[in-house]
């Protein structure tokens, strides 16, 4: 498998590399670290020659990419690349298509606090345009060990079955447990009503989980350990806060119903989850299917910077 990492020479870029390593360790994936630099326009006579500026820019970019590669443990195959463009998001999407990436990984903006998310312009653009899953590392993400658990946020809209199938495949391939999460925002009401809503949510999630579990003789996946959890709060953010989160966990969510087929659109509920979430989030495009091929990156992928 191959993951494209949107790298920048700051804390956000380090967070993205750390998450990429954590995700790669569970699947034997290789990393393509991509640094996007501005396109160099033709300068007037009063400015430095274009060729000289391009050389300086690429020299600096290569230095930053060498620093990026130094963050990746020796056991994880990695290459680094310089790309130019007016839009970081478009350049990263193009790189994901070029390398046939299974995942695009970026960091949150540096204004996030307490390992919470603050989405910048690049992340926002990717979450509205990417055709492959996008993984978001919270600010200050330092973990480089393999995942220990996958959570899947299950809503009631159409497409929940495909998201569950993606989550089950990801958990099975990594040999980690899967937790199916339903988040309920309860505006007032009595205890009986809250209990009834929680039970209905649990039944709904359990029904869809059972339907998605491997049952066909043609399905060669091992069945992962699973559980269903319902979290309630006065808001979605409070419901997220009431859940127990492991350091080695990620949350999968699906794209908004407004998304075009096989593309991402982050809905209002997902945005609210992001504000409270202390672990990485992976947003899966609508109608996206997990690649079940048991392929992995070759060990001879060079650890070098390329332009």
């Amino acid at each position: 498998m191959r993951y494209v990492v949107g790298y920048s020479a700051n804390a956000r870029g380090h967070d993205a590399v750390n998450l990429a390593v954590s995700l790669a360790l569970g699947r034997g994936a290789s990393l393509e670290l991509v640094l996007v630099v501005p396109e160099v326009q033709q300068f007037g006579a009063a400015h430095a020659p274009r060729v000289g500026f391009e050389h300086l820019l690429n020299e600096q970019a290569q230095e930053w990419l060498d620093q990026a590669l130094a963050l990746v443990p020796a056991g994880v195959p990695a290459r680094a690349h310089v790309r130019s463009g007016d839009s970081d998001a478009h350049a990263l999407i193009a790189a994901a298509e070029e390398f046939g990436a299974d995942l695009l990984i970026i960091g949150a903006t540096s204004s996030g606090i307490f390992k919470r998310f603050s989405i910048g312009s690049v992340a926002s653009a990717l979450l509205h345009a990417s055709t492959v899953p996008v993984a978001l590392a919270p600010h200050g993400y330092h973990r480089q060990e393999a995942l220990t658990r996958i959570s899947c946020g299950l809503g009631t809209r159409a497409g929940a079955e495909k998201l569950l199938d993606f989550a089950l495949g990801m958990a099975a391939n990594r040999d980690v447990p899967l937790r199916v999460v339903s988040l309920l925002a309860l505006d007032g009401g009595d205890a009986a009503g809250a209990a009834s809503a929680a039970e209905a949510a649990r039944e709904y999630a359990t029904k869809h989980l059972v339907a998605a579990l491997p049952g066909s003789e043609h399905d060669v996946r091992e069945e992962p350990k699973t559980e269903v959890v319902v979290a309630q709060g006065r808001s979605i953010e409070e419901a997220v806060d009431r859940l127990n989160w492991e350091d080695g966990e990620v949350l999968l969510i699906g794209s908004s119903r407004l998304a075009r087929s096989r593309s991402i659109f982050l809905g209002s509920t997902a945005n609210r989850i992001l504000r409270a979430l202390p672990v990485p989030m992976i947003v899966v495009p609508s109608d996206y299917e997990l690649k079940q091929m048991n392929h992995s990156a070759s060990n001879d992928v060079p650890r070098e910077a390329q332009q």
Side-chain angles (χ1 to χ4, degrees):
M1 302 190 79
R2 208 170 284 273
Y3 301 156
V4 164
V5 185
Y7 181 75
S8 51
N10 53 25
R12 182 177 66 223
H14 292 189
D15 295 340
V17 172
N18 289 336
L19 176 58
V21 169
S22 181
L23 291 167
L25 285 174
R27 285 293 284 144
S30 63
L31 305 182
E32 306 290 350
L33 309 181
V34 177
L35 174 68
V36 182
V37 298
E39 285 187 333
V40 180
Q41 305 299 324
Q42 185 64 52
F43 288 92
H47 297 84
R50 174 179 177 178
V51 173
F53 182 77
E54 281 184 323
H55 176 73
L56 290 173
L57 182 61
N58 284 321
E59 220 176 42
Q60 179 63 78
Q62 294 294 343
E63 182 181 328
W64 285 334
L65 285 173
D66 288 341
Q67 294 169 4
L69 288 169
L71 299 173
V72 182
V76 178
R79 298 187 301 185
H81 315 266
V82 179
R83 294 293 183 267
S84 62
D86 292 330
S87 164
D88 286 18
H90 290 164
L92 290 174
I93 290 172
E97 293 173 353
E98 174 187 348
F99 296 120
D102 303 271
L103 191 63
L104 216 169
I105 303 168
I106 57 174
T109 61
S110 59
S111 59
I113 57 174
F114 304 123
K115 284 199 174 182
R116 302 301 168 99
F117 288 89
S118 177
I119 299 300
S121 58
V122 175
S124 178
L126 287 174
L127 292 172
H128 286 78
S130 178
T131 56
V132 299
V134 174
L136 301 166
H139 176 58
Y141 191 79
H142 299 299
R143 180 184 171 83
Q144 284 199 343
E145 294 80 23
L147 298 184
T148 60
R149 183 170 68 182
I150 293 168
S151 281
C152 176
L154 186 67
T156 57
R157 72 178 190 281
E161 299 85 356
K162 288 195 174 182
L163 179 63
L164 263 179
D165 189 57
F166 182 100
L168 282 163
M170 187 173 177
N173 288 336
R174 295 165 183 277
D175 194 25
V176 297
L178 171 67
R179 181 174 67 160
V180 179
V181 175
S182 287
L183 301 171
L184 298 181
L186 303 175
D187 246 349
D190 56 19
S196 177
E199 185 57 32
R202 186 180 300 278
E203 288 180 2
Y204 177 87
T206 301
K207 179 183 73 173
H208 283 280
L209 175 59
V210 170
L213 284 169
S216 167
E217 61 181 349
H218 303 295
D219 196 331
V220 297
R221 295 179 308 188
E222 291 281 338
E223 181 177 324
K225 179 182 178 182
T226 61
E227 65 171 327
V228 172
V229 176
V230 178
Q232 302 180 38
R234 290 167 296 181
S235 65
I236 290 293
E237 292 89 340
E238 185 173 283
V240 172
D241 272 334
R242 289 185 173 180
L243 282 170
N244 292 321
W245 298 97
E246 296 182 2
D247 286 342
E249 186 167 9
V250 297
L251 174 68
L252 297 181
I253 64 166
S255 188
S256 163
R257 70 187 72 193
L258 299 176
R260 301 185 307 276
S261 179
R262 289 186 62 80
S263 66
I264 284 177
F265 188 93
L266 198 66
S268 58
T269 300
N271 265 311
R272 293 168 65 189
I273 293 171
L274 276 173
R275 288 200 293 265
L277 191 67
V279 300
M281 172 184 276
I282 299 177
V283 186
V284 183
S286 59
D287 298 331
Y288 188 86
E289 294 182 3
L290 177 67
K291 294 179 183 178
Q292 294 300 331
M293 296 174 58
N294 291 319
H295 63 285
S296 62
S298 170
N299 288 330
D300 61 359
V301 177
R303 297 170 59 79
E304 60 185 13
Q306 302 179 350
Q307 184 175 348

